[in-house]
Amino acid sequence: MQEFADRRQRIMETMRAAGGGVAIVCTGAEVIRNRDSEYPYRSDSYFRYLSPFPEPQAAIVLVADSDRGESILFCRPKNEERETWDGFRYGPPAAAERFGFDRGAPIESLDEEMAKLLANRAALWCAIGTSETLDASARRWLAAVRAQARAGVTAPTRIADLNHVLDEMRLVKDAHEIRAMRRAAQISSAAHLRAMRTARPGRREYEIEAELLYEFRRNGADAPAYGSIVAAGRNACVLHYRANDAVMNDGELLLIDAGCEFDAYASDITRTFPIGGRFSAAQRTLYDIVLDAQRAAIETIRPGARFIDAHDAAVRVLVQGMIDCGLVEGPLDAALESGSYRRFYMHRTGHWLGLDVHDCGSYREPSAADADASAASRILRPGMVTTVEPGIYVRAADDVPSAFHDIGIRIEDDALVTDDGCEILTIDTPRRAEDIEAAMNG
Ligand code: GLY
Ligand code: MN
Ligand code: MN
């Protein structure tokens, strides 16, 4: 639990250095799915970064001045009747004690307390402009402080973007976060291996989705970190395929993009393998291009390199491969320049990964004034985690060699930047074509 107190302390230090004030981070709201049922509840990721307190209707407030620092957890009071229906609630005093806050307070008192805490403070730190509810609350709190002007109270003159501070912190993972991400990656790797061993012609995509979920949950993962994509044959060319209900046929590939969330941290893996257990020659040709592209991308990942380097390296290999097999016209530099390859590779090669699957954090150096996006690309540092996910997607069309029609391939792994390179957190999932075939065939 100390790591959360340390993170809150770091925020208070940043606030102090910028003149102090009061910061607030609210957790997520419960969302109705239909009538009386709600979507499974998950804390807001910024809140979760500062405390694992699991209940909805809660807020963390940090007061940071030169002479004062206080952390307060606002949450629901105990309620015997509601606890009988919905389960245990800590209540403010027990929650503050258990989760290491200076004090707890009932969430109903938030407006009243904020009006008091903000009196004579320099700034309100919050995620202003991200939610109408929060914006309206901020207006109410500030109005309540300003209403005390004739009593000699001054209101904050600044609203500071707290998420900018948190984004920078969350971008570089600490040891506790890395431990959770390793475990998430291991469980997801086991799930992909299970999928390879259970997929066969005649089964439906959702049966394999169920195998993934089984492996996630039996290992203690919270949930899938995002909607699992289980896409057979041409469905793999739909980047965010959701239906997962088609029959899987012999001769087709199965693309699975799925990862669990463990202790609130995401993993994100894609594997593509032959439903019948053996790649065809055309499938293998494209598969090896994507694998080579991924290797080239991973080679670039080390401290001091730019985030964009992995994408640039992957694209060069992908496009040369597309030229070699007649999908795209050469030479390489002309194809890169014209962007003709984008018909078959239309997404980026990676994104930050952490509490969110598409995690927060700027992809540009914060200090970069340069308007050229690639020149300003983020410089990698130890503790950053990015996915590496090149692919090739070939929809059937008259001007495309028919052997490649309806083949969609993506290979995605999660890379932690280390002191001298990177560690592939998802290394346990077979990746080379021959290793996949061996895993599938016993
Ligand atoms: N699964 C989402 C992504 O790969 O970005
Ligand atoms: Mn991804
Ligand atoms: Mn993915």
Side-chain angles (χ1 to χ4, degrees), residues 226 257 268 270 412:
Y226 51 91
D257 185 344
D268 186 3
T270 306
E412 176 174 27

Side-chain angles (χ1 to χ4, degrees), residues 226 257 268-270 349-351 353 357-358 387-389 410 412 414:
Y226 51 91
D257 185 344
D268 186 3
I269 303 181
T270 306
T349 305
H351 52 80
L353 184 71
V357 64
H358 291 175
T387 65
V388 192
E389 49 180 304
R410 179 164 63 254
E412 176 174 27
D414 304 343

Side-chain angles (χ1 to χ4, degrees), residues 72-84:
I72 312 163
L73 177 62
F74 287 83
C75 65
R76 302 178 302 196
K78 297 286 291 174
N79 180 328
E80 215 171 289
E81 198 204 335
R82 286 321 319 164
E83 290 182 56
T84 303

Side-chain angles (χ1 to χ4, degrees), residues 39-213:
Y39 283 104
Y41 181 71
R42 182 187 184 272
S43 308
D44 171 79
S45 294
Y46 291 104
F47 183 99
R48 181 60 178 67
Y49 184 67
L50 299 178
S51 177
F53 178 71
E55 298 177 25
Q57 293 179 278
I60 292 167
V61 171
L62 304 174
V63 183
D65 276 339
S66 53
D67 59 338
R68 182 164 175 229
E70 186 181 29
S71 63
I72 312 163
L73 177 62
F74 287 83
C75 65
R76 302 178 302 196
K78 297 286 291 174
N79 180 328
E80 215 171 289
E81 198 204 335
R82 286 321 319 164
E83 290 182 56
T84 303
W85 288 89
D86 302 330
F88 176 75
R89 297 179 178 192
Y90 280 92
E97 165 83 26
R98 169 76 182 81
F99 293 91
F101 287 80
D102 295 326
R103 68 181 169 100
I107 190 72
E108 290 78 13
S109 69
L110 184 63
D111 273 5
E112 195 185 321
E113 289 253 10
M114 284 300 278
K116 284 188 211 150
L117 291 168
L118 284 167
N120 302 321
R121 306 260 179 232
L124 168 61
W125 297 70
C126 65
I128 200 75
T130 59
S131 123
E132 285 185 18
T133 316
L134 176 65
D135 289 359
S137 301
R139 237 182 6 245
R140 242 182 6 258
W141 301 328
L142 291 170
V145 189
R146 288 174 189 140
Q148 304 167 56
R150 269 175 293 156
V153 170
T154 60
T157 53
R158 261 181 349 110
I159 295 181
D161 183 13
L162 185 64
N163 281 11
H164 178 68
V165 177
L166 285 165
D167 285 349
E168 285 298 302
M169 285 173 69
R170 282 176 54 187
L171 184 52
V172 178
K173 275 71 184 170
D174 63 30
H176 298 92
E177 297 183 281
I178 290 168
R179 202 176 309 139
M181 294 192 74
R182 276 213 183 94
R183 185 70 188 127
Q186 278 167 357
I187 296 171
S188 297
S189 292
H192 277 264
L193 198 55
R194 184 181 187 88
M196 287 173 192
R197 291 186 171 144
T198 51
R200 56 182 165 273
R203 297 190 83 187
R204 288 203 183 246
E205 293 163 343
Y206 54 64
E207 295 181 64
I208 307 308
E209 182 185 359
E211 302 282 356
L212 296 163
L213 187 58

